[in-house]
Amino acid sequence: MNTSVNSASNGASHQIGPIRIGIDATNIRIGGGITHLLEFLGAIDPQSMGVKEVIIWGSQNTLQALPKNNWITKINPPSLDQGLWRRVFWQVFSLSRAAKQMRCDVLFVPGGSYVGSFHPVVTMSQNLLPFEWKMIGKSGISLRTLKFILLRWSQSWTFKCSDGVIFLTQYAQKAVLKVTGPLLAKQIVIAHGLNPRFDYQPKVQLPIDQYSNDSPYRLLYVSTIDAYKNQIELIEAVQLLRKRGYPLSLTLIGPNEPPALKALQAIQQMVDPQGTWLEYLGALPYASLNLEYQKAHLGVFASRCETFGMTVLEKMSVGLPIACSSESSMHEVLGDAGLYFDPTNPQSIASAIEEYLLSPQLRDESQQKAHVLAAQYTWVRCAQQTLGFLHEAATLSGNRSST
C-alpha cells in the first residue's frame, strides 16, 4: 500500500470534542488549491469527524466554488477581491484578529504562507516549485522568478513558525526540509483524495495495428503548459514514433504560462501545422476532465517537479496505462504500476511509450495495477486524517474554545 497514504493515521484518537476551524483561503484562487478545498469540505461529516464549525476567509470567486452547509461560514473581506498586496496586507494585519473574534480553535492555512499572531496554526505544503532551484531557474531573470524566491522565503518562515505542517508526499517533505532545515512543528504526510467520478473500469487493450491515422491511439497529458512540464520533449518523442509508423495522436490540456505557450505553438506549427495529430485544448473545467480521460488510450506525465501529481492519480483511477516522468514524487504515487522515462530526453520518452505500444498485455497489466492503487485514495480518508491532525494541534495548544 502506498507510503504517502499510510503515513498518516486516521486521527480518531485525537477527537476529544468538536472544534471550530478557521481556514485561510486568501491566496487560494484557482486550480488545485480550490479543488482541494472543495473536495476536502465536501468529504466532511461534522458529527462523526468532530467539527463544530468551519469559517473560511476568501475571495468571492473562491467562496462561491465551495460547498454550502449550515456548519460552514464564508467571510469575504473586500480586500481579498483586490490586488496581491491588499490581500497580503489583510492577511498580515487582520486575519489573526478575525480568527480570535470567531473563536477558532485552530487556523488551517492550505496555501502555505501565513504571517500572523494566531496560534495554533497548521499549514500545508502544496507548491514544491519554490523549493527547487533548478526549476526556478527555468524562468530566468523575471518577475516570476522573483515571485518564487519570495514564496520560498515566506513559506519557509511559515513552516518554521507553524504548530503543524502537512505534506502531500514524503518526497515533498524531504525536499522542503532540505531548504528549511529541521522544523519544530509536528509534521505529517497526508495524500490528496480522488473523486469517485474518475473511477472507471480499465479498457480492453488492442494491438497497435488495430489503430490508424483516422482512428489513432490517443495519448493524453494534463498539466500546466510550462518549461519544467516538458511538453516540448513529449511532442518531439511522439513525432519520432509517428515517423516509425505508429498511428498516434497527442492531446494537451491545462492552463499555460505565456512563454511556454509560445514555444508550444512554435513547435506545433513546425510538426503539425494542420492540426492532424497534435491538439491543445487549454484549461478545461475540473468537472469535465474525466470525460477527456475516457477518450484516451495512454496517459503521459512528463513533469520534473511535482508535490503530488493529481492528474496522474486521476488517470490511474480512470484505467489508463501510464508513461511517467522518473523525477520528483511520481514513484511515490504510481509505484510499479507504470513505465518511467527521463522527461528531458525525447528518445527516453519515446522508448517508454513504444514499449507499451508493442505489448497490449503490458498495457493491461499496468492499467489494472494502477486502478487498484488509485482506489486507496479517497477524500473521506484525506478529511479524516487532516481533521485528526487539526484536532491534535488544537488539543496540544490548549487553545480550544469553551463554547
Side-chain angles (χ1 to χ4, degrees):
M1 193 172 286
N2 187 276
T3 55
S4 63
V5 174
N6 271 343
S7 57
S9 67
N10 63 18
S13 62
H14 303 303
Q15 295 184 9
I16 298 174
I19 60 173
R20 185 175 284 114
I21 302 166
I23 297 181
D24 172 23
T26 57
N27 61 348
I28 295 178
R29 305 176 71 81
I30 58 173
I34 288 183
T35 299
H36 165 258
L37 269 186
L38 172 66
E39 299 286 11
F40 168 66
L41 292 170
I44 293 176
D45 177 357
Q47 290 188 342
S48 67
M49 297 183 185
V51 175
K52 182 186 304 180
E53 183 182 9
V54 173
I55 303 102
I56 309 171
W57 292 272
S59 68
Q60 286 187 18
N61 289 338
T62 296
L63 297 179
Q64 287 172 2
L66 301 180
K68 296 180 181 179
N69 286 295
N70 56 11
W71 49 271
I72 297 178
T73 301
K74 302 177 182 180
I75 301 176
N76 172 231
S79 295
L80 301 191
D81 288 309
Q82 299 180 27
L84 172 62
W85 294 113
R86 291 296 298 273
R87 300 197 305 271
V88 170
F89 187 89
W90 184 89
Q91 187 198 49
V92 172
F93 294 101
S94 301
L95 177 58
S96 294
R97 181 173 66 253
K100 292 174 184 177
Q101 290 174 344
M102 295 300 293
R103 297 177 297 167
C104 294
D105 297 300
V106 61
L107 180 63
F108 182 32
V109 185
S113 295
Y114 170 72
V115 178
S117 60
F118 183 91
H119 285 276
V121 59
V122 171
T123 53
M124 176 181 283
S125 173
Q126 295 197 75
N127 186 357
L128 197 55
L129 270 175
F131 297 93
E132 302 241 344
W133 274 121
K134 61 182 179 181
M135 298 298 110
I136 295 176
K138 284 186 170 292
S139 297
I141 300 175
S142 65
L143 289 176
R144 189 174 186 227
T145 298
L146 176 60
K147 181 187 80 170
F148 284 136
I149 292 173
L150 291 175
L151 279 173
R152 183 185 178 99
W153 174 84
S154 68
Q155 293 197 4
S156 296
W157 191 92
T158 298
F159 296 154
K160 290 179 180 179
C161 297
S162 296
D163 300 283
V165 182
I166 296 173
F167 296 96
L168 304 187
T169 57
Q170 292 177 359
Y171 176 91
Q173 182 181 27
K174 292 176 182 177
V176 170
L177 293 181
K178 283 181 181 178
V179 175
T180 64
L183 300 178
L184 295 177
K186 186 175 179 63
Q187 301 159 51
I188 196 168
V189 176
I190 303 176
H192 279 347
L194 192 62
N195 191 295
R197 74 167 175 273
F198 292 102
D199 187 14
Y200 291 86
Q201 289 302 312
K203 296 178 180 179
V204 175
Q205 292 296 323
L206 303 176
I208 194 62
D209 61 11
Q210 298 297 302
Y211 301 91
S212 66
N213 286 329
D214 292 331
S215 181
Y217 187 82
R218 298 177 180 273
L219 280 60
L220 176 65
Y221 184 14
V222 180
S223 196
T224 304
I225 307 300
D226 207 336
Y228 75 95
K229 300 287 189 174
N230 298 99
Q231 281 91 358
I232 302 302
E233 289 79 1
L234 173 58
I235 292 170
E236 292 174 351
V238 175
Q239 185 185 28
L240 285 173
L241 292 169
R242 285 180 56 83
K243 287 180 177 179
R244 295 175 192 172
Y246 293 107
L248 305 180
S249 69
L250 172 62
T251 299
L252 304 173
I253 296 174
N256 65 79
E257 290 294 331
L261 177 60
K262 185 176 180 180
L264 172 64
Q265 291 169 335
I267 193 170
Q268 186 172 24
Q269 187 63 32
M270 288 174 56
V271 303
D272 187 28
Q274 303 303 318
T276 57
W277 61 269
L278 174 60
E279 63 176 349
Y280 170 51
L281 301 182
L284 298 184
Y286 173 62
S288 67
L289 278 180
N290 57 309
L291 302 177
E292 293 299 326
Y293 290 145
Q294 272 296 289
K295 299 176 185 177
H297 299 108
L298 177 69
V300 185
F301 195 76
S303 175
R304 296 183 64 196
C305 180
E306 289 299 315
T307 310
F308 182 69
M310 193 67 196
T311 65
V312 172
L313 184 59
E314 291 164 355
K315 295 185 185 83
M316 291 165 63
S317 184
V318 165
L320 292 176
I322 298 171
C324 188
S325 166
S326 60
E327 297 195 23
S328 202
S329 62
M330 302 323 305
H331 283 275
E332 200 168 330
V333 177
L334 183 59
D336 63 352
L339 294 181
Y340 293 92
F341 55 73
D342 176 355
T344 67
N345 187 332
Q347 289 283 358
S348 176
I349 300 172
S351 295
I353 294 173
E354 187 172 34
E355 189 173 349
Y356 272 134
L357 298 179
L358 295 173
S359 176
Q361 181 180 350
L362 176 61
R363 281 182 256 143
D364 183 66
E365 291 172 353
S366 294
Q367 67 182 10
Q368 296 287 350
K369 194 177 294 185
H371 190 259
V372 171
L373 277 177
Q376 302 176 57
Y377 295 83
T378 70
W379 283 112
V380 170
R381 183 169 187 167
C382 175
Q384 289 173 335
Q385 294 173 339
T386 302
L387 291 170
F389 193 59
L390 294 175
H391 268 265
E392 186 175 6
T395 302
L396 293 177
S397 75
N399 195 40
R400 298 171 57 81
S401 64
S402 59
T403 59

